[in-house]
Amino acid sequence: VPAEYASIWQCFEAINNLGHKKVAYLTDDRVFIARETRLQAFRDAQVKFGWTGGESAVINCDASDLVACHQTAKEFFANKPDITAIACYNDGLALVAYQAAKEAGYSIPEDISVTGFDDLKLISAALKPGLTTVRLPHREMGQAAVERLIELCSSSMSQAPESKEIIGQLVERESLSAPKNRD
């Protein structure tokens, strides 16, 4: 399985290393294990890095309705003009963030930095500027599963299933920069 927490933490570190303190998180409001783990990582990053905003920096929307998510993101940008970075639960929501930010008059990454998760190349590499995101470790997860299956098949012992977490890779593109001073 993907190491959700450690994988998305890379985005938060990249944002923090550039000096951002006013960071938001756009997430799916449907209940998924990945959603809960990534959201907890964001809350932990807020504390560790001294980011402002608390729960008001979390933007919840139903990612199955991207039109409604777009409206939610637009309203957020209208009410939080001092945000300098937004991390997104996945690349689809990053696309929403790009559109809403541009409609609010922000330039990416000059005015606002954006990160995603999944590295869906149809989105992440196609966006201009290219989206910094985490690539899910599909190949590595498949390889680990096959190796474990071979090990179990060659063993006469019955063993309980085990879970192995594999960290995704941060793919840095052009959607991040140091924040402008907007005070």
Side-chain angles (χ1 to χ4, degrees), residues 37-112:
T37 305
R38 294 178 200 174
L39 180 57
Q40 185 59 53
F42 176 72
R43 290 177 176 140
D44 292 347
Q46 285 181 306
V47 172
K48 179 174 182 167
F49 301 134
W51 294 347
T52 62
E55 281 303 308
S56 69
V58 176
I59 313 157
N60 290 292
C61 68
D62 178 349
S64 68
D65 184 352
L66 293 182
V67 173
C69 284
H70 179 258
Q71 186 60 38
T72 300
K74 276 178 52 174
E75 290 168 8
F76 181 83
F77 282 120
N79 294 319
K80 299 282 186 184
D82 61 339
I83 292 296
T84 63
I86 185 165
C88 300
Y89 171 74
N90 62 29
D91 292 349
L93 289 179
L95 172 63
V96 167
Y98 265 59
Q99 292 172 332
K102 288 181 179 183
E103 288 174 19
Y106 296 115
S107 178
I108 299 167
E110 294 79 12
D111 299 320
I112 191 159

Side-chain angles (χ1 to χ4, degrees), residues 8-159:
I8 201 160
W9 190 262
Q10 297 172 90
C11 289
F12 302 148
E13 282 184 323
I15 289 168
N16 186 68
N17 290 343
L18 289 168
H20 292 276
K21 293 296 179 195
K22 299 172 182 176
V23 181
Y25 183 62
L26 178 59
T27 187
D28 195 331
D29 66 4
R30 297 173 296 166
V31 178
F32 298 108
I33 292 172
R35 185 243 187 220
E36 299 307 316
T37 305
R38 294 178 200 174
L39 180 57
Q40 185 59 53
F42 176 72
R43 290 177 176 140
D44 292 347
Q46 285 181 306
V47 172
K48 179 174 182 167
F49 301 134
W51 294 347
T52 62
E55 281 303 308
S56 69
V58 176
I59 313 157
N60 290 292
C61 68
D62 178 349
S64 68
D65 184 352
L66 293 182
V67 173
C69 284
H70 179 258
Q71 186 60 38
T72 300
K74 276 178 52 174
E75 290 168 8
F76 181 83
F77 282 120
N79 294 319
K80 299 282 186 184
D82 61 339
I83 292 296
T84 63
I86 185 165
C88 300
Y89 171 74
N90 62 29
D91 292 349
L93 289 179
L95 172 63
V96 167
Y98 265 59
Q99 292 172 332
K102 288 181 179 183
E103 288 174 19
Y106 296 115
S107 178
I108 299 167
E110 294 79 12
D111 299 320
I112 191 159
S113 291
V114 181
T115 65
F117 195 99
D118 292 331
D119 195 27
L120 297 175
K121 290 197 173 64
L122 183 63
I123 297 173
S124 61
L127 284 171
K128 299 298 177 219
L131 176 65
T132 295
T133 186
V134 172
R135 179 176 298 138
L136 283 175
H138 294 293
R139 180 179 303 277
E140 294 86 352
M141 290 186 306
Q143 181 176 346
V146 168
E147 288 171 359
R148 180 67 175 138
L149 182 60
I150 292 169
E151 181 183 309
L152 287 172
C153 289
S154 64
S155 170
S156 62
M157 298 177 67
S158 174
Q159 297 178 5

